[in-house]
Every structure is written in C-alpha cells, then in structure tokens.
Amino acid sequence: MQEPQITDELIASHGLSPDEYARILDIIGRTPTFTELGIFSAMWNEHCSYKSSKKWLRTLPTDGPQVICGPGENAGVVDIGDGQAVVFKMESHNHPSYIEPYQGAATGVGGILRDVFTMGARPIAAMNALSFGEPDHPKTRQLVHGVVAGVGGYGNAFGVPCVGGEVRFDPAYNGNCLVNAFAAGLADADKIFYSAASGVGMPVVYLGAKTGRDGVGGATMASAEFDDTIEDKRPTVQVGDPFTEKRLMEATLELMATGAVISIQDMGAAGLTCSAVEMGDKGGLGVRLDLEKVPVRETAMTAYEMMLSESQERMLMVLRPELEAEAKAVFDKWDLDFAIVGETIAEDRFLIQLNGETKADLPLSKLASTAPEYDRPWVPTPAPAPMDDVVNVDPIDGLKALLACPNYASKAWVFEQYDTMVMADSARTPGIGAGIIRVHGTDKSLAFTSDVTPRYVQANPVMGGKQAVAEAYRNLTATGATPLATTDNLNFGNPEKPEIMGQLVGAIQGIGEAVAALDMPIVSGNVSLYNETDGAAILPTPTIGAVGLIAHPDDMIGCDVREGHLAVLIGESAGHMGQSALLAKVFNRAEGDAPPVDLDAEKRNGNFIRANRALINACTDLSDGGLALAAFELAEASGVGLVLDSSDTATLFGEDQGRYLVACSFDKAEALMIAAGQAGVPIQTVGKFSGDTVWMGQSCAPLSELSAIYRTTFADTFA
C-alpha cells in the first residue's frame, strides 16, 4: 500500500502547525514518513504533550510527607499508613463523549481504571464529574442518557463502586459536554509499579485485547475544536469491553506478584505510540517494535493504524526475560493476548518495523520530554463589577426555584444507575457530600469528593480555582476525614486565545495557593483544552478530585439528623450574593464577583470540625444555594422538618465560603459554642430540625411538597 504524500493539508489535519512541522524537519533532517508524521502528531498534540500548560503546571505544589509519587506517572500515590497507599487520578473524555456518548463515557471509565491498576493498585472507588448543556437543548437529553449509561455500563460490569461526583447544566456546554472520570485504588506502599523502562535488550510485551482501527487519531481529535465536521470524527472514538478489562486487571495484578514486571504502562491516548515512547524516555532508552507481532483483530492494518489505534484494554510492559514463561502462563489463563513485540535498545531511537520494512526511525527523546512547550500570551480576566443592588425573594419561593432546577435537585436518577455498593465496603454512597469507602481489613476509611463551581471561575479564575480546592477540603472535612491530596482535571477552551489562556493561568494560580495552604498537594491530573464549538468556549471548569483519610470508625461524622437537633452554623456569613445560584436561577443574572476564599479561615474551621467531631451528629459544607439549600438537604435526607430563624435573602442564599452546617443536641451545641470561643471560630445557632414543615422566617411549606420537587425534578426532566 502506497503511503500518502506529505502535503500542507495532511500536516494541518494532524494538528501540527507550520512551525512544528519545520521543527520536525530540523530534528530528523528529512521528510517524515506517513507513520512518522502520525507519531509526531500523537506525541506533540495538546492531549499528550501539555504544550500549552506545562509551564504553569510546574508551579503547582506536588510534594508532602504523605506523597509517595506525584505527577508524571499513570496515577498519583499517597501514603495512608500501615504500609498501604491510595493510588488515584482524574482524566477527561470530553470530545469522545460528545461524539459518541455511550462509548466515550465508558472508555473514559476504562482508561482511568487502567491508570490505577497499572500502578499495582486494585481499584476500590470511582467518581465522575459531568457537565452538559441546558436541559432543553435538543442534544442534551441524548448526551445525558448516553453518558450516564456508559459510565454505569462500564463501571458496573467491571465491579467498582461509584461513590460520588457532580452533574451540572449550562448553555456554555451545549456544543461540548465534559466527562471527567476519577478512580482510586489500594496498594502496598512498597509494591508500586512504575513506567520507566530499564535494561538494554529487555523484551517489550503487549498485553490484553487485540488492536483494531477504533480510536485511530483519538488524541489528536481531542486536541481540536469542534465544527460542522463533527460526525466525521465518530471513527476516532474507542470501543470498550469492561469484562475484558476485569480480566486484564486480574491478570496484571497476578503478573506483578510473580516479579516478572520491570515497567508497565497503560495504552491510553495515542495507544502503542505514547506507551512505548513514555517507557523508553523515562528510562533513557530506545525502543524497537516489530508490528507484525502485534495481535490484531482486523486485516491489512498499516503501521500508521497500529501505532495510533486507541483500542481499549491494552497494556505495554518491559519484562524480565527469565520469567517470560511464567508471565505468558498468567495471561493464557485469563484468555488474554501476550506477545513480545520488540525490545529496549541502547540508542536513542524509536524504530518501527513491519514485516522487515522500516516504517519509522526517530530519536525517541525528541518525541516526549522535548515536545514543544509554549508560553502562550495571556490576559488576566477583568475584575467583575460589584453588585450594587440588594436581591430579595420569598425564601420558600427561592428554595423551590433551586429544587426545581436539575443543577440543584437530587441526582438520584443518575447515581441509582451506578453500582454504589459492589465490593461491600461503601460506608457512604452518593447523595450528600463525600463518598466513603472502608479500607478492607482495617479500621481506616477513605473519603472521596469532586468539586468545582465554573461560574465562579469564569468571573474570577484565581478565586474560582481556590474555591474548588476549598470546597473539596470542606466536603472531606464534613465526613470527619483529614484531607490528604488532590488530582485536577483542567477543562478550558482554546489556549491560543489570550483571554482563555488567562482563565487557565488564573485558575492554576488559585489552585496552587489553596493546595499549599490546605496541605492537599496535587499528585496527578489532566488538562483538556480546545473545548469549543464554532468558537464558543465552555465555562472554565477546573475540576478538583480529592481524597481524605478517616483513621477510625469513631472519627466518621454521620448524616443522622434527629427531631429537636439544633442547626449550628460554623464560619463567617457576610451574605455574598455575587455569582450565586439564586441570582442565576431566580433572577437570570450572572453578576458580581466570586465569593472570596480566606484560606486561613478554611483551615482553622476545618481543624475545628475535625477536633470536635464527637459533638457533631451531622455535618455538611455550605456551597451552592447557601444555608437554605444545605439545611434543606440535611433535613430532607433524614425526613425531619426544618425551622430557620432568618427570612433574609442574603443570609439564607448567600454563598460565603469556609462554612459548615452542623446538627446536634442542645448539650453538644453548648459544648461546641464554648470550644469555638476558645478556638476563635465564628459560630451561631440558626434554627432547629423539627416537625414536618420547612420554615424560613414566616414563610413555610410542607417538607413532603419540597421533597417531591427535589426528588422528581431530574427524572421528570430526563427520564
């Protein structure tokens, strides 16, 4: 088969700029082959190289005494004591999920699970953060159904509990939904597996499912904006098989126990190309591949197709040659492909051969660590004009408006399609706050949360970035957990536009400040750029996934609200209405600044909650919808009425940060007041949980009426 001629159009279709192509010519001193062009395109696209964000990602705090492995590997690794570690990461599958919702979301889940078990960890928890267009947009319903079914279809069949996440709707996502997938696993701290190859002449082994043509060029597609050619991109979406992935995990973990594995890498974005290059580059070695040995499921596949396929459920490994027979026996037992497809070499070469013919011969080190890096022009987001008027609404009417909005209604329709109890270690499932998984065979539990408020980030990227971390910190704290570390999934528009790049820079600055102040270093993450359709960008959405440790069951804070409990507010309330949920939903206004985040107050108030957890029966942080929505959700979950003393709109619906709502008995509330006075923590009683009615000042409605709105809105909109 004759290879295509390298033309300007072909170069552009591979996402390479004229300057980047000129750089390729300088590196290799000749015109690249078609396969070489594809390899450079895969390694140098935004999705794999982080060429627009690397400069700023390096500023993020990634170290701490708890960190075993920070960014740069398949996932981050954090010490949880007793010789154990939690391994976790969050990644986007945005573009594929918009084109083909079920498979895009399913393979996003599959990919993040592989990132975790490739490190030697058995997955124990998953989350997902989903952003869709407005509910009545003609495509939203199809996307919601497809994505939710894909997440559930893969995770349920694989057998990992989904313990949390987010679902939001905004017109800015009409042309580009976001699917951010998180997974966490457990491993022995001294048995973590890394991807750096070592040793010359070591066999490079292909593991798992066969290679097909699905997903060819997927990473390049994920680094481009959408336009009216979107349907042409459907073949670049991968197809997943969770049952094969389950076998791959069991085989991989069994193989690791044999001692045969030198290094191992998931075949994710850019498939065989990226996995081989990263292993070689990290180990300072070259790699030779013989593609005729690659297990394929389609006939007459070219070198280009094999190198760029993103077929799922595949791994690449460097193996100890003396244990080859034992390794092959493991994969034969699990009915998975095991093929030696090449070897490590001393020279700095990425040598690709097919049936004895050289298809690519490139300097390997130039493909990964020396990929282009841009200091793109950026402008700070202008400071928003302050709100100059007072917003007033009947409090029950305001609450009903929020409960009737899919953003703030119960998401039970979504999470009831996920298996939240598989493995039988789930201590708290989605519904209120962070999810909790018991660490089997110990007294410990791990708490997981995913948070961001995109409208804050759009108004003020620095403050919005801080707030995403602070809310994650509070969600973990509200369970009694000590926050350990974070993973970030930075979703933005086209970084070549200075105002979009300014959003990214500002958000990273805010995230960096917050993770440093709150001792929650970033240990892994993902950047997804070019989330635009016909030039219209999504809301800037830097999702923060966070993990916390609960050392003993007695340290866990429950959600147990009882008749007569007092409602106690911890933290300072100034009634900040700028960019609030009420302002957006009831008044259709996106005005004012994001709420300010005082990181010292966040830490002080969080420490106070954990130090006094024995006095707390139930706890939730205050975020969207302020005191009114938080108090309603606590009351509704326990089927108890609510009496809030105030009827003031800003008091009830303001979104000041650093605040928690606590439910406890009168005696415990008294003790909390004394402790708060000693710690310098603002505290006040704001009402009580009682009866079967929700009162806010003089306004009221039956709890059953509000509960019906809360519990049926989402299903009525999408079922």
Side-chain angles (χ1 to χ4, degrees):
M1 179 178 166
Q2 191 169 4
E3 291 203 337
Q5 187 178 356
I6 306 298
T7 62
D8 291 346
E9 291 76 17
L10 191 66
I11 294 163
S13 73
H14 279 73
L16 293 164
S17 69
D19 286 347
E20 288 168 345
Y21 184 67
R23 186 168 174 171
I24 291 170
L25 296 180
D26 286 343
I27 288 171
I28 64 177
R30 57 176 170 78
T31 301
T33 67
F34 181 52
T35 301
E36 288 173 337
L37 183 72
I39 288 170
F40 270 109
S41 163
M43 292 308 302
W44 284 12
N45 69 59
E46 196 72 57
H47 193 75
C48 294
S49 73
Y50 297 97
K51 59 191 175 188
S52 298
S53 56
K54 269 192 287 198
K55 169 185 166 70
W56 299 101
L57 295 176
R58 289 193 194 99
T59 66
L60 289 170
T62 59
D63 297 323
Q66 71 275 45
V67 178
I68 295 172
C69 175
E73 279 293 338
N74 285 293
V77 186
V78 174
D79 194 334
I80 60 168
D82 307 314
Q84 292 180 301
V86 60
V87 178
F88 64 95
K89 189 182 185 183
M90 190 172 230
E91 276 206 338
S92 60
H93 231 222
N94 303 335
H95 287 60
S97 298
Y98 189 79
I99 297 168
E100 197 357 280
Y102 185 95
Q103 290 297 348
T107 52
V109 174
I112 201 66
L113 289 168
R114 281 196 306 283
D115 281 337
V116 167
F117 68 75
T118 302
M119 302 287 293
R122 180 173 290 277
I124 59 163
M127 295 190 294
N128 53 89
L130 312 176
S131 302
F132 299 104
E134 52 199 331
D136 57 359
H137 185 270
K139 194 159 171 82
T140 299
R141 182 184 173 87
Q142 174 213 351
L143 289 171
V144 170
H145 276 263
V147 165
V148 171
V151 169
Y154 204 102
N156 297 353
F158 180 87
V160 63
C162 183
V163 297
E166 306 172 275
V167 187
R168 71 178 56 83
F169 300 88
D170 189 276
Y173 304 104
N174 279 348
N176 201 131
C177 66
L178 302 183
V179 174
N180 294 173
F182 170 100
L186 282 175
D188 291 339
D190 61 351
K191 293 188 178 74
I192 304 298
F193 287 80
Y194 299 100
S195 58
S198 64
V200 174
M202 297 295 167
V204 174
V205 184
Y206 173 114
L207 307 169
K210 288 178 167 55
T211 294
R213 290 187 171 93
D214 55 319
V216 172
T220 302
M221 175 272 294
S223 303
E225 296 178 39
F226 284 152
D227 54 29
D228 56 10
T229 65
I230 185 170
E231 285 301 315
D232 300 342
K233 297 181 170 75
R234 193 174 297 276
T236 61
V237 178
Q238 311 91 332
V239 177
D241 177 357
F243 300 105
T244 298
E245 177 117 334
K246 176 73 169 175
R247 287 184 288 125
L248 180 62
M249 178 191 72
E250 297 295 351
T252 300
L253 296 178
E254 190 174 326
L255 180 64
M256 288 168 167
T258 68
V261 178
I262 295 175
S263 65
I264 189 163
Q265 176 77 34
D266 159 44
M267 281 196 229
L272 195 50
T273 290
C274 195
S275 54
V277 168
E278 287 190 5
M279 288 171 76
D281 187 62
K282 288 174 184 173
L285 295 167
V287 173
R288 177 182 60 77
L289 296 178
D290 300 314
L291 295 187
E292 69 275 7
K293 297 175 181 174
V294 171
V296 293
R297 62 169 184 259
E298 299 187 43
T299 57
M301 287 190 71
T302 64
Y304 179 96
E305 290 170 332
M306 282 192 264
M307 291 307 296
L308 298 188
S309 166
E310 293 183 10
S311 294
Q312 296 292 286
E313 293 86 42
R314 302 180 303 158
M315 318 272 267
L316 202 64
M317 178 182 76
V318 176
L319 175 74
R320 298 189 190 283
E322 67 274 15
L323 293 174
E324 178 189 327
E326 290 93 325
K328 187 175 186 308
V330 170
F331 274 74
D332 286 347
K333 182 182 95 173
W334 288 100
D335 194 24
L336 292 163
D337 278 296
F338 176 101
I340 295 175
V341 296
E343 66 175 352
T344 58
I345 55 178
E347 306 99 306
D348 178 20
R349 292 172 78 189
F350 192 39
L351 181 59
I352 309 302
Q353 296 177 312
L354 178 58
N355 297 320
E357 185 181 344
T358 297
K359 295 294 185 179
D361 190 353
L362 299 169
L364 186 143
S365 63
K366 301 293 185 187
L367 292 167
S369 51
T370 55
E373 181 175 330
Y374 296 123
D375 185 2
R376 296 204 184 274
W378 62 280
V379 293
T381 301
M387 283 184 63
D388 54 7
D389 62 334
V390 176
V391 175
N392 280 310
V393 68
D394 176 86
I396 292 295
D397 288 346
L399 179 60
K400 283 181 177 178
L402 293 182
L403 300 182
C405 172
N407 279 340
Y408 311 113
S410 167
K411 308 301 188 300
W413 182 87
V414 175
F415 62 71
E416 284 172 359
Q417 297 184 53
Y418 305 152
D419 193 332
T420 60
M421 298 301 291
V422 64
M423 300 171 75
D425 282 319
S426 302
R428 187 185 296 178
T429 54
I432 288 189
I436 303 174
I437 293 287
R438 291 179 289 267
V439 179
H440 202 71
T442 76
D443 284 333
K444 295 176 293 197
S445 296
L446 290 166
F448 302 97
T449 187
S450 158
D451 298 287
V452 65
T453 309
R455 63 181 186 276
Y456 293 170
V457 187
Q458 186 171 48
N460 184 332
V462 176
M463 204 59 74
K466 280 188 198 178
Q467 190 276 339
V469 176
E471 187 175 343
Y473 174 85
R474 291 196 302 272
N475 271 323
L476 296 176
T477 295
T479 68
T482 301
L484 289 177
T486 50
T487 179
D488 59 352
N489 201 154
L490 308 177
N491 308 273
F492 291 82
N494 183 346
E496 296 166 46
K497 298 176 180 177
E499 65 276 12
I500 299 290
M501 194 65 207
Q503 293 176 342
L504 175 63
V505 171
I508 290 174
Q509 289 172 338
I511 290 167
E513 283 184 53
V515 298
L518 300 175
D519 300 321
M520 298 168 70
I522 297 276
V523 297
S524 58
N526 172 242
V527 179
S528 175
L529 303 179
Y530 296 96
N531 289 288
E532 299 200 2
T533 299
D534 295 327
I538 60 162
L539 291 179
T541 311
T543 310
I544 298 295
V547 179
L549 178 66
I550 302 171
H552 191 275
D554 293 346
D555 294 338
M556 196 181 298
I557 299 174
C559 296
D560 186 22
V561 177
R562 299 287 176 89
E563 171 72 35
H565 275 167
L566 294 186
V568 181
L569 181 61
I570 289 162
E572 193 159 357
S573 296
H576 184 96
M577 291 299 297
Q579 300 300 329
S580 64
L582 186 85
L583 193 69
K585 182 60 195 163
V586 176
F587 298 95
N588 198 28
R589 290 162 54 186
E591 295 173 20
D593 202 351
V597 177
D598 180 338
L599 293 168
D600 291 335
E602 291 281 3
K603 191 164 189 177
R604 178 198 66 203
N605 296 354
N607 287 340
F608 175 79
I609 292 288
R610 284 188 296 276
N612 293 280
R613 51 192 148 202
L615 300 173
I616 298 171
N617 291 88
C619 181
T620 183
D621 90 301
L622 269 60
S623 51
D624 280 332
L627 171 62
L629 191 56
F632 169 79
E633 287 178 346
L634 266 190
E636 200 275 342
S638 295
V640 181
L642 171 67
V643 180
L644 292 179
D645 301 330
S646 178
S647 61
D648 177 65
T649 299
T651 300
L652 290 170
F653 295 98
E655 295 181 6
D656 305 283
Q657 300 297 294
R659 300 187 299 162
Y660 301 83
L661 184 66
V662 162
C664 58
S665 66
F666 181 85
D667 291 349
K668 288 179 176 177
E670 210 168 32
L672 267 182
M673 295 278 185
I674 295 167
Q678 294 168 343
V681 170
I683 189 169
Q684 58 180 311
T685 55
V686 291
K688 64 180 179 179
F689 297 92
S690 180
D692 56 8
T693 302
V694 173
W695 287 88
M696 297 185 188
Q698 299 305 305
S699 186
C700 72
L703 176 65
S704 58
E705 177 190 340
L706 297 174
S707 181
I709 299 170
Y710 178 65
R711 292 193 173 267
T712 61
T713 288
F714 205 101
D716 287 350
T717 305
F718 294 108

